[in-house]
Amino acid sequence: MLPTWLFWLSSDVVQARRIAASTCPAPVPASYPAPVVRDGYEARLVATGLKKPRGVIVDSKGRLLVVESGKGITHLTIKDDGWPCLSVEKTTTIVSMSDLNHGIELSADGKTLFASTSNSVYSWPYDADAIRVSDEKSHKTLISNMTNVGGGHSTRTLLISRKQPGILLVSRGSGSNIDNSATDYSAGISQIRAFDISDPNLGTSGGKVYDYPSEGWTIGWGLRNSVGVAEEPNTGGIYSVENSADGIKRFGVDIHEDSPGEEMNYHGVLRFPSSSASNQSSSDTQGGNHGYPYCLALYNSSTPSPFPSLGNLKTGSQFTHDSTPYSIPFLSSSPPQAKPINITTSDTSCSSTNFISPRLTFPAHTAPLDIKFSNGNGNHSLAYITFHGSWDRSTPAGYKLSAVRFDSTKGEPVEASDSTNSLVDVMWNRDVSKCPDQCFRPVGLTVDGEERIWMTDDDKGDIWVLKQVGEVKGDGDDGGSGSGSANGDSDSSAVPMRMKRSGSGAEWLGIGTSVVVAVVGSVLFALE
């Protein structure tokens, strides 16, 4: 049995949280029904009225930098009176540039800000104390020549490696639904490429500007539109989430409702091309082709029924389709990664000898737009993923924040590659049939030093913040319900932070260090 004082303390924790909540500023009201939040999490809407907020990062002072698509970069100073008492105290436009549309990053030291248009990557010296860039009109152009003919996917996601701090990854999607240009390695389309930005003269007057298609090196290609790119914090493995093709038919049968699935792809541990062979062997998936537009990944083998020529295909298997560009061979003169293959109507063309299959496959048309890792707890961590939501589906799907459980020691998902249960939903809309009009549509993510998850919504102009405050169970576990609190609205009267018996003691559950707050008379103190 737990000591009497601990029961007394736990009741005072509840009281302290209620006192704190009563002194919080009211949450920003949402323009749609309050979302459902998983038991063990709480969520709060802290800002609205932004212009299509997309990418978001936290600076060295714990403040937010947000790309407002078509406007520029906005700085948000957060008033933090302890969870859940967070609100926006001040907003400052630090870069006015209407071409910026999504990508944003900070250098490891927090002193250089990066952002992207559909064609270029720019940088500015950034001062977190002064809340400004040195001269927003005098940016450096680091990388250029990324515009897709005819438009197409226009975002260029940026990632600065924390394992290799001088390396910038840039993701570029396809120019159309099935873009045959992606079969040409030298085109630089549907690729994630890496660039060494350690040279201080890069982008200066008379200095070098990288040409995206022909310079840097390939992290992965055959990736239709990998908007989310992240580095697993323990092993340094690079993961991306890919938006797959729409309107696909197979042998004349419309299969688009549930296939192809969206993908999580693994690209190995980041390395310079000049690394030794021994180092390369530990990351042999880096630079490989992931199939698009030749091959796409199956999600649901049951629909349509029967699935055309199912054979041995299962979730995650890559298959050919009616739009597969059989007549366009790989260029044999391209770099070693672009080896020539013989594409036929047989699915054996899509085997692992030619292409790298996804590490996980998600429901079709859910549109994953970002992936960010938690700092982890012991041997486990979470990869949070935003699913912007479908348009090419009779029943809406996505419109949620989910997580994938990772084994931190291995740097890979816990679930097998053919799993259809890899997602743990964290926050979702109550009625997806009303989406997108009466729903949040998540885009960008960042996880701060206190493990708070900041999330943008470009459709409603909102910014949400979430925090894990208690034990979280998987979908198959007892208690994996949506009874957490969103904007003060809870489906349950239970206190989200819970105590769990562990042997003869007690354990406060959550990621990272939990703080127990108690009130004794008029004295407020914390036990860590």
Side-chain angles (χ1 to χ4, degrees):
M1 178 176 288
L2 294 174
T4 303
W5 69 270
L6 194 52
F7 282 109
W8 168 82
L9 182 58
S10 65
S11 64
D12 280 338
V13 169
V14 175
Q15 181 64 19
R17 287 172 61 81
R18 288 173 177 162
I19 292 171
S22 68
T23 60
C24 283
V28 175
S31 60
Y32 43 89
V36 183
V37 178
R38 191 174 194 83
D39 186 25
Y41 283 89
E42 291 179 350
R44 185 177 178 89
L45 182 60
V46 296
T48 192
L50 282 78
K51 181 179 179 179
K52 297 182 179 179
R54 298 279 297 188
V56 57
I57 54 176
V58 177
D59 72 10
S60 59
K61 299 298 180 181
R63 299 156 179 164
L64 298 184
L65 295 170
V66 181
V67 173
E68 293 189 72
S69 181
K71 178 182 177 181
I73 300 175
T74 301
H75 177 285
L76 282 73
T77 301
I78 303 299
K79 188 175 187 294
D80 186 352
D81 292 326
W83 183 264
C85 304
L86 303 173
S87 59
V88 175
E89 191 171 50
K90 180 183 178 183
T91 61
T92 307
T93 299
I94 62 170
V95 175
S96 296
M97 185 181 291
S98 60
D99 290 346
L100 299 181
N101 61 11
H102 181 83
I104 187 169
E105 253 291 19
L106 275 172
S107 57
D109 63 7
K111 295 181 179 180
T112 304
L113 176 63
F114 304 87
S116 61
T117 68
S118 60
N119 187 66
S120 303
V121 177
Y122 303 123
S123 72
W124 300 259
Y126 174 66
D127 187 332
D129 291 310
I131 311 178
R132 65 180 180 88
V133 296
S134 60
D135 184 353
E136 64 171 296
K137 304 300 183 184
S138 299
H139 54 264
K140 292 182 178 180
T141 301
L142 307 182
I143 305 166
S144 196
N145 195 16
M146 296 189 291
T147 299
N148 288 332
V149 176
H153 297 116
S154 62
T155 62
R156 307 290 178 256
T157 300
L158 308 179
L159 173 68
I160 292 283
S161 170
R162 275 11 184 197
K163 299 292 186 180
Q164 302 278 359
I167 304 302
L168 172 66
L169 275 61
V170 185
S171 177
R172 176 188 181 189
S174 63
S176 60
N177 183 36
I178 300 296
D179 188 345
N180 291 342
S181 299
T183 65
D184 181 354
Y185 175 86
S186 65
I189 292 173
S190 296
Q191 297 184 11
I192 301 173
R193 300 187 68 82
F195 299 86
D196 183 355
I197 57 170
S198 58
D199 182 357
N201 294 318
L202 183 67
T204 59
S205 179
K208 181 177 180 56
V209 176
Y210 284 117
D211 176 70
Y212 184 89
S214 64
E215 297 185 282
W217 65 96
T218 312
I219 300 302
W221 65 304
L223 300 160
R224 181 177 176 272
N225 190 29
S226 293
V227 187
V229 185
E231 185 176 53
E232 197 280 322
N234 187 42
T235 64
I238 303 298
Y239 286 86
S240 68
V241 286
E242 178 183 0
N243 291 244
S244 195
D246 302 304
I248 295 300
K249 293 183 178 180
R250 179 170 160 88
F251 301 117
V253 178
D254 185 347
I255 64 169
H256 89 276
E257 188 81 359
D258 287 314
S259 284
E262 317 288 44
E263 300 179 14
M264 173 189 281
N265 288 299
Y266 178 60
H267 306 289
V269 176
L270 186 62
R271 65 176 188 270
F272 286 89
S274 58
S275 296
S276 66
S278 60
N279 289 336
Q280 292 181 21
S281 64
S282 65
S283 184
D284 56 8
T285 59
Q286 192 166 111
N289 190 296
H290 293 262
Y292 173 84
Y294 294 103
C295 303
L296 305 172
L298 178 71
Y299 178 71
N300 189 341
S301 62
S302 300
T303 56
S305 182
F307 188 88
S309 189
L310 179 62
N312 294 323
L313 295 176
K314 58 183 179 179
T315 298
S317 298
Q318 300 211 78
F319 61 89
T320 57
H321 51 94
D322 290 3
S323 299
T324 295
Y326 303 114
S327 62
I328 302 178
F330 280 23
L331 301 180
S332 58
S333 59
S334 295
Q337 299 98 322
K339 59 186 178 182
I341 64 170
N342 179 29
I343 286 288
T344 70
T345 56
S346 169
D347 293 320
T348 57
S349 300
C350 298
S351 67
S352 59
T353 57
N354 291 323
F355 300 110
I356 302 171
S357 297
R359 180 57 184 82
L360 290 173
T361 307
F362 306 129
H365 313 300
T366 48
L369 293 189
D370 206 352
I371 173 173
K372 290 292 188 297
F373 285 90
S374 68
N375 293 325
N377 181 19
N379 294 330
H380 300 284
S381 63
L382 296 172
Y384 293 104
I385 302 172
T386 51
F387 289 92
H388 197 233
S390 63
W391 66 268
D392 187 21
R393 203 170 186 278
S394 60
T395 301
Y399 301 96
K400 62 183 179 179
L401 171 67
S402 301
V404 170
R405 290 163 288 211
F406 264 67
D407 182 330
S408 297
T409 59
K410 297 179 180 178
E412 66 176 7
V414 172
E415 297 288 341
S417 61
D418 61 349
S419 173
T420 58
N421 298 301
S422 61
L423 295 175
V424 177
D425 292 339
V426 175
M427 177 170 154
W428 60 95
N429 289 284
R430 293 176 183 272
D431 184 355
V432 293
S433 69
K434 296 180 179 179
C435 296
D437 293 342
Q438 293 298 309
C439 297
F440 76 94
R441 299 196 74 181
V443 181
L445 288 173
T446 190
V447 180
D448 68 17
E450 297 185 36
E451 289 292 310
R452 296 176 300 201
I453 308 154
W454 301 87
M455 179 175 69
T456 63
D457 173 347
D458 67 340
D459 187 59
K460 303 299 187 295
D462 293 347
I463 297 179
W464 285 87
V465 60
L466 299 91
K467 185 177 177 65
Q468 184 180 341
V469 294
E471 181 184 6
V472 178
K473 294 184 177 181
D475 283 334
D477 295 329
D478 180 34
S481 62
S483 60
S485 172
N487 245 24
D489 181 16
S490 176
D491 289 343
S492 170
S493 59
V495 179
M497 180 173 279
R498 299 176 299 171
M499 192 160 57
K500 177 183 177 182
R501 286 292 300 273
S502 178
S504 59
E507 176 186 9
W508 288 91
L509 298 177
I511 293 181
T513 303
S514 298
V515 179
V516 181
V517 182
V519 178
V520 183
S522 61
V523 179
L524 183 68
F525 68 98
L527 301 176
E528 240 180 355

